[in-house]
């Protein structure tokens, strides 16, 4: 059994087992955190909905805020042009 523990840190097939275990465990922790954050975001969207906000519009605003101002302006200009072309 002590030999098994010693081998845990040894290279196995050229792979450093301790390093691999550390990487896997870090990824697992981050995935747990991401899940918790995702749940928090869902709760905030539910709060927005219960406060009378349209969640679809809130999502659109979030997407727009991530873009560069010039990109947003170009999209709005094209949208306006297309609407006028369609008589909207």
């Amino acid at each position: 059994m002590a030999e098994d523990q010693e081998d845990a840190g040894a290279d196995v097939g050229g792979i450093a087992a301790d390093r691999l275990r550390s990487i896997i465990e870090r990824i697992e922790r981050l995935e747990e955190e991401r899940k918790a954050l995702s749940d928090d975001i869902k709760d905030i969207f539910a709060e927005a909905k219960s406060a009378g906000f349209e969640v679809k519009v809130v999502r659109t605003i979030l997407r727009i805020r991530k873009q560069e101002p010039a990109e947003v302006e170009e999209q709005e200009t094209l949208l306006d042009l297309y609407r006028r072309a369609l008589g909207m």
Side-chain angles (χ1 to χ4, degrees), residues 56-73 75-76 79:
K56 186 175 180 179
V57 176
V58 171
R59 288 183 189 278
T60 300
I61 294 294
L62 290 168
R63 183 179 43 80
I64 290 170
R65 287 172 55 107
K66 291 178 186 177
Q67 297 174 343
E68 294 294 322
E71 185 179 346
V72 172
E73 185 178 341
Q75 287 179 359
E76 288 176 352
L79 182 60

Side-chain angles (χ1 to χ4, degrees), residues 69-88:
E71 185 179 346
V72 172
E73 185 178 341
E74 179 183 354
Q75 287 179 359
E76 288 176 352
T77 300
L78 286 172
L79 182 60
D80 183 52
L81 179 66
Y82 290 5
R83 283 181 173 163
R84 283 188 284 134
L86 295 171
M88 297 175 69

Side-chain angles (χ1 to χ4, degrees), residues 10 20 24 28 86:
L20 178 59
I24 297 297
E28 288 172 341
L86 295 171

